[in-house]
Amino acid sequence: MSRASDATLKGIDDFVGGFLGYEKRASNIIAAADAEPDSVLANAYAGVLWMMLEAEGATQVASAYLNRAKSAEAGANERERMILAQLERWIADDVPGAQAIGDEIAARYPRDLASVKLHQYFSFNRGDAKNMLRIARAVERENADNPHIHGMLAFGYEQMHELEAAEREARRALKLKTKEPWAQHALAHVMLGQGRVAEGVAFLGEAQRTWVDLNSFMYTHNWWHKALFHISAGDNAAVFDAYDNHVWGIEPDLPQDQIGAVSLLARMEVAGMDVGHRWEDVAEHMKGRAHDTTLPFLTLQYLYGLARAERAEADHLMQAVEDRAATTKGWDRLVWQEVALPAARGVLAHARGEYAAAAKWLSVANPRMTEIGGSHAQRDLFGQLLLDAHLKLGNWAVARRMLEMRRIWDPDGVPLNRALALVDKKLNAA
């Protein structure tokens, strides 16, 4: 780096290590950048951290850090200038441009795993699993001794449905470092995708002892994964414990915590659980999302949660989606117009009990939901809502086909087999 006092260096180290390890210490970069405004790298990383907040207003704050870093750019080195250029492209909503710079950074500085991680983040939000895996493999040789690259490889392989390779890399990461939450997360994905429910509960039950000092996203998200196993096992008490004590309420104003809560509550209801007044609490924290179209994957879940709580903000957010689809001209234009818009109509209809409309619009959107970002497990929410709509409508033959497909990866799922028994009973009585 071109300039950094010992204190600023500590903040930069905290950011890189915290970013890769999903630890709270990553936020120390803010104080470091504020204490040394002419540190190019500290201020660039502070801008990155703000952009990763994934919320309205974050761009303005990130721009202030970018401008401060650029004012000291004359003394910056090559890597710092590339990181600044990447942040500038990101703030300008040119994600493909930001990724092109990320490719250069990886090629010239393959040990810069923070840049590789950021590259994967961009691809994740675009539903581009192939690129997630490609960038990790591009620097694999130079980082064979680093657990974080194996965690990144594991998740890339899992999203490409290469589950054996994903498990191999996850276990390699965990052999190098027991506390590697992204590798734990990737292995949970593998077990979920293979119906290894009891093993998943046991694995995450052991892993959770290492979930200390994690940021709220990683802590709540790994607990969210554990809750999915409990849903499949029919252990409702464990699901409620996970939701009430570990998924919701850690940092309830942060986007990822909010969508985790929405997603889990929706799954709980589809599985037949009465969630009581829990929607109202989540919606109260999401009322500021009434115009938030930062990322379609997030927006759809805000919309569902607000609508389930019968908040007027749901109508405002639906209008914001309509407006975004009608006016956007950027790289994500088709995603908003052809995927997010019909999906939004579908989730809003389902949340309001309008199941015919839900089935109509979700059937349009679901074949292309990969394009909105998120993981297979996260996007499965929309498949579950479509299935639930068909069940509510009494479309038994359609529902049976969907349930049989789901049995491939959840053969012993208690809610699934309960629904299948109901469908068979209805079809046999017809």
Side-chain angles (χ1 to χ4, degrees):
M1 60 201 71
S2 59
R3 175 187 173 89
S5 65
D6 289 346
T8 303
L9 177 59
K10 175 64 165 59
I12 290 170
D13 283 345
D14 281 346
F15 172 76
V16 173
F19 181 32
L20 293 172
Y22 292 89
E23 295 175 343
K24 296 175 184 177
R25 62 190 174 112
S27 63
N28 293 344
I29 194 64
I30 301 298
D34 290 343
E36 193 164 354
D38 54 353
S39 171
V40 173
L41 195 57
N43 283 275
Y45 280 158
V48 168
L49 186 68
W50 270 99
M51 289 297 290
M52 293 196 72
L53 187 60
E54 300 175 331
E56 288 184 309
T59 300
Q60 287 74 21
V61 183
S63 294
Y65 283 100
L66 172 67
N67 291 335
R68 200 155 74 183
K70 285 178 72 68
S71 69
E73 188 178 3
N77 61 37
E78 179 186 62
R79 188 177 73 98
E80 290 172 329
R81 288 194 296 272
M82 293 168 74
I83 290 171
L84 278 181
Q86 184 180 48
L87 177 58
E88 190 167 30
R89 287 295 84 217
W90 187 8
I91 290 172
D93 198 28
D94 178 12
V95 171
Q99 286 195 282
I101 296 170
D103 282 328
E104 285 189 62
I105 297 172
R108 299 188 197 185
Y109 304 97
R111 293 281 286 183
D112 182 356
L113 288 187
S115 288
V116 175
K117 185 73 171 177
L118 186 60
H119 198 296
Q120 275 203 331
Y121 167 82
F122 290 137
S123 294
F124 178 76
N125 284 336
R126 302 176 69 180
D128 188 356
K130 182 178 180 180
N131 214 21
M132 287 177 62
L133 181 57
R134 178 193 65 79
I135 194 65
R137 293 191 67 181
V139 301
E140 179 180 3
R141 181 174 58 84
E142 293 86 354
N143 295 281
D145 60 336
N146 192 307
H148 298 303
I149 192 62
H150 297 293
M152 287 186 244
L153 284 163
F155 191 53
Y157 278 121
E158 190 279 328
Q159 290 295 288
M160 288 293 289
H161 304 286
E162 297 184 36
L163 301 188
E164 289 184 8
E167 181 158 358
R168 180 193 71 227
E169 292 298 330
R171 294 197 182 279
R172 187 171 293 169
L174 294 172
K175 186 176 181 180
L176 289 167
K177 184 179 182 182
T178 304
K179 184 189 177 184
E180 214 303 290
W182 198 240
Q184 295 166 348
H185 160 262
L187 191 49
H189 270 269
V190 171
M191 292 176 178
L192 186 70
Q194 294 178 330
R196 295 155 61 184
V197 173
E199 187 180 355
V201 170
F203 168 68
L204 291 181
E206 178 70 19
Q208 74 189 56
R209 296 190 302 177
T210 69
W211 299 343
V212 293
D213 299 322
L214 298 184
N215 62 32
S216 66
F217 160 69
M218 195 76 265
Y219 179 83
T220 61
H221 189 62
N222 273 349
W223 268 101
W224 178 90
H225 271 280
K226 191 166 186 284
L228 298 193
F229 288 122
H230 290 311
I231 289 175
S232 179
D235 189 348
N236 292 0
V239 178
F240 278 107
D241 173 68
Y243 178 86
D244 290 334
N245 298 309
H246 304 287
V247 173
W248 180 242
I250 307 302
E251 292 284 353
D253 294 321
L254 293 183
Q256 290 291 340
D257 291 48
Q258 292 170 357
I259 66 148
V262 168
S263 178
L264 186 52
L265 285 178
R267 284 168 163 83
M268 291 163 71
E269 289 193 325
V270 166
M273 296 179 225
D274 181 355
V275 303
H277 297 288
R278 288 173 176 83
W279 283 116
E280 285 76 4
D281 185 36
V282 178
E284 180 63 23
H285 287 276
M286 292 196 304
K287 61 186 178 183
R289 306 294 182 197
H291 305 283
D292 193 332
T293 58
T294 303
L295 291 171
F297 174 71
L298 302 180
T299 298
L300 292 174
Q301 292 170 90
Y302 298 150
L303 179 63
Y304 191 82
L306 290 168
R308 281 296 295 118
E310 301 181 355
R311 300 283 301 224
E313 289 88 352
D315 292 305
H316 302 319
L317 186 52
M318 185 67 232
Q319 185 60 54
V321 174
E322 298 270 4
D323 294 343
R324 179 70 182 264
T327 61
T328 190
K329 301 184 187 302
W331 59 275
D332 56 352
R333 174 176 58 87
L334 293 181
V335 173
W336 280 103
Q337 292 177 349
E338 299 179 8
V339 186
L341 179 57
R345 291 169 176 165
V347 300
L348 182 62
H350 187 281
R352 290 176 169 171
E354 300 164 3
Y355 298 116
K360 171 187 174 181
W361 290 113
L362 287 172
S363 294
V364 170
N366 270 13
R368 291 179 58 185
M369 287 302 282
T370 300
E371 297 173 47
I372 69 167
S375 69
H376 304 314
Q378 289 175 310
R379 290 190 304 269
D380 186 50
L381 168 65
F382 306 104
Q384 291 195 37
L385 294 179
L386 176 57
L387 170 60
D388 187 66
H390 282 301
L391 288 168
K392 295 290 200 311
L393 292 167
N395 295 335
W396 307 120
V398 175
R400 194 182 199 289
R401 288 195 295 271
M402 295 179 71
L403 286 164
E404 286 294 353
M405 287 295 293
R406 298 186 69 81
R407 277 215 298 180
I408 294 172
W409 70 86
D410 190 22
D412 302 317
V414 172
L416 186 153
N417 283 288
R418 184 169 58 237
L420 193 57
L422 170 66
V423 168
D424 284 343
K425 180 179 179 182
K426 295 292 184 179
L427 287 172
N428 291 334

